[in-house]
Amino acid sequence: MSIFLYKIGNFAYRKSWYVITAWLVILAVVGTLIGVNGIQVSSNMKIEGTESQRILDQLAQELPMASGGQGSIVFKAPAEERMDTPERIAAISKVINDVYQLEDVLNTAELATEANALSLLMMQYATPDQLPPYGYMMTEAGPLPGVLLSSDGNIALFQFQFLKDVNSVPQDVKDAIIDAAKVAETEANITVLPSESLLPLHLGIGAGEIIGVVVAALVLLMTLGSMVAAGLPLLTALLGVALGVGGAFSLSSMIEMTSVSAMLGLMVGLAVGIDYCLFIVNRQRHLIFEQGISAQEATSRAIGTSGSAVFFAGLTVIIALCGMLVIDISFLSIMALVAAATVFINVLLALTLLPALLGLVGERICSEKARQKYNSKSATSAKSGFSDRWVRGVIKFRWPVILIIIVVLGIAATPISKMDMGIPGAATANLDTAARQSYDAITEGFGEGFNGPFVIVAEQNNSSAAFTPESLIQLVMELNSQDNVAQVSPLGMNENGSLAILSLIPETGPSDKETKDLVTHLRDPNLNIVQSHDIKLGVTGFTAVNIDMSAKLADVFPLYVGIIVILSIIILLLVFRSIVVPIKATVGFLLSILATFGCTTAVFQWGWLSGLFGFDTGGPLLSFMPIIITGILYGLAMDYQVFLVSSMRESYVHGHRGTESIVHGYNQASRVVLAAAVIMVSVFAGFIFTEDIIIKQIGFALTIGIFIDAFIVRMTLVPAVMAIFDSKAWWIPKWLDRMLPNLDVEGDKLISKLNEKNEQ
């Protein structure tokens, strides 16, 4: 491997413009494809095989008009005023007419007749406590279709239905709905609040991300000591992100891609792209300083040695991400593939474009001043530097260090026992956002459960049986009497009456545990209502979909962790040819990931330090975050493991024994590993301050996860544990050693071949 990469680096250095031109052509192709196909990004995250999705598919087949998504607009009058004045009724009537004329919006004016008739019939049978705590906005011609009025008359809610899934509706249609509603704001002196489903996605780069990149640039400058040397990793990483994320965007018209997929590729691509190039440039400069060889030879050797470590580090990230494909959840698979492709491109760029750029720079990569400065420090820095004192202190007090780290990370992990998974939404949005204000207004006027209504599908077990209006109303009233049910309303039936659709409003909010328990209760085949009416009850709707998604992801998470653990042991066994190192690395990773989820729970669910991180209300953690974060952190943790421990092994192979191999290897690699970790933390931290709570949670988890794994586990726990095993850390049974392929990560074969060449 090292010899092959040496040849690639040498060719790229000599033929710089050929390599650079090839990559620019690829970038132009990606840009052209984006221009032709456009960018189509959604927030759709459905999981096939769940009960709620099954019901949606059934509705799409039997009642297509009832299977589309819903949107809503809240109209709020000034305090102490009512919405049902003639002026405001006229303004809202105009809004309704304008919205119903738009493409992709179902005109329910005619369909509402059946639902209204059923509601009137229900009023005849229902007792006062079974009637809804709201009314309908009435005109001389009857109730306005889809508009409800709060009991005090201060708030009106206009609900409408799309002909397809909300995430498939073009944003220009949603914008037209908002624009139509805003007209009433000025004409009738009311506040208009569109629901979260109507608001556009925000994918732009904000100040936080830019600051993260600036910090990364400063760290590169401090580490490499040159503007030119610092600029190359940054330039290469930005190109890698442009190709990876841009390539995904160019295919978005053919493959459904979520907004999170693009941001995930951006996060991971920036971080690993900068780090991988940093390792190679740092090795090249050290070879020039220490051995006095030319920049061309130093570049070729850096690609052959550090390039091998970059290749296997990138491979671990890619394998960890692609491991998500085993879970067989489509939107997660797309996320994983986008991130993995971005990492793969960054590895290729580090091994080809970077040496080509170094070829253009030539000997200027190390100025004469930098060479003199290095020579003046090299005699004393190894023995007196902070890293040397740190690692020797860790080795000396290894048992207390190990105990303290385990206790601290164990305490940090304790909030996991209270971790609640879901999809953060309007309930946890910042108080000054339209989505949150709409949510709060609905809660004020109609109850919190109105923000997460269920669609109930009642189907006769006997295909020849049919619902009558009276039997349907009886079913509605029995459902209404269940615990945690605020209101049930009939919506209609299919042509033969074998299937009825109901709207059920829970008393609790969409993310409350009681709401999840209600879904489980209603789906119980032994429920008395189901038995007495001889029917099947199906529960779906946005809230039910999120509940099912969280449950499904929680079920597959242990499987994914198992895959990660097995992969970790196999890959590290191949790279380090050791029994102890893979086990130690995997246990360290598990400590990191548990502490990461614990800290994330405390911040985003319990609300600790919420003001610092720019959000107002704690809520559930993103349901697919554990899988995403585990995959990415595993790959990045193994990056540091490979770069740090491979340096220790290289010292061991080249004659250092006992703890001296640990100290020498640590001193050689710790500075660049520290810089790489600071860069990665800076890049990820920039995403914490985005507006999107989903990106905010992922950014925080990756930031704290890298901090814990790099600074606490890899740079402190690893040398302490390695010191306990001493030289036995590199033991491997001879029979297993013979079976394993020699990957030559340390570059011994390359060095031997170069030495033979020099002797000749």
Side-chain angles (χ1 to χ4, degrees), residues 25 42 44 70 209 288 445 494 569 626 643 753:
V25 169
S42 77
N44 189 23
Q70 286 188 334
E209 295 92 322
I288 294 174
N494 62 357
I569 293 174
F643 288 116
K753 185 173 182 179

Side-chain angles (χ1 to χ4, degrees), residues 7 60 162 441 449 491 575 581 629 704:
K7 293 178 179 178
F162 293 108
L491 298 179
V575 172
V581 171
I629 298 303
I704 194 69

Side-chain angles (χ1 to χ4, degrees), residues 617-695:
T617 308
L621 300 186
L622 184 63
S623 56
F624 58 84
M625 187 189 68
I627 291 176
I628 290 287
I629 298 303
T630 298
I632 295 175
L633 279 186
Y634 163 74
L636 299 180
M638 293 307 105
D639 281 2
Y640 300 127
Q641 178 74 17
V642 168
F643 288 116
L644 187 63
V645 180
S646 64
S647 181
M648 296 178 185
R649 177 166 175 79
E650 187 175 350
S651 297
Y652 176 80
V653 170
H654 293 162
H656 294 85
R657 290 294 179 265
T659 56
E660 279 307 307
S661 66
I662 300 171
V663 173
H664 184 266
Y666 190 94
N667 287 334
Q668 292 294 311
S670 60
R671 186 168 183 264
V672 70
V673 170
L674 175 65
V678 172
I679 288 170
M680 205 166 284
V681 166
S682 301
V683 171
F684 288 143
F687 290 88
I688 298 176
F689 301 98
T690 59
E691 294 182 9
D692 192 321
I693 189 65
I694 292 178
I695 302 301

Side-chain angles (χ1 to χ4, degrees), residues 342-470:
T342 306
V343 172
F344 177 70
I345 290 170
N346 273 288
V347 171
L348 291 181
L349 288 169
L351 299 178
T352 57
L353 180 64
L354 180 61
L357 294 173
L358 289 169
L360 293 183
V361 175
E363 298 296 336
R364 290 172 295 165
I365 194 69
C366 295
S367 66
E368 189 61 33
K369 183 179 179 181
R371 296 171 195 251
Q372 293 174 358
K373 184 178 180 181
Y374 179 85
N375 291 332
S376 65
K377 288 185 176 181
S378 60
T380 57
S381 61
K383 293 293 183 183
S384 60
F386 175 78
S387 67
D388 185 79
R389 295 193 299 272
W390 175 263
V391 71
R392 291 185 185 277
V394 167
I395 290 173
K396 181 178 180 181
F397 300 102
R398 48 188 173 270
W399 282 110
V401 166
I402 293 171
L403 182 62
I404 290 172
I405 288 176
I406 291 175
V407 170
V408 170
L409 294 185
I411 293 173
T414 52
I416 287 181
S417 61
K418 304 294 184 181
M419 186 165 61
D420 184 25
M421 308 307 297
I423 302 294
T428 55
N430 283 348
L431 296 172
D432 59 351
T433 61
R436 177 60 182 272
Q437 291 170 359
S438 175
Y439 184 96
D440 290 343
I442 291 174
T443 300
E444 177 188 348
F446 307 96
E448 189 172 12
F450 231 97
N451 289 288
F454 295 136
V455 175
I456 305 294
V457 175
E459 185 178 9
Q460 295 284 353
N461 284 323
N462 186 347
S463 58
S464 61
F467 287 104
T468 63
E470 291 75 16

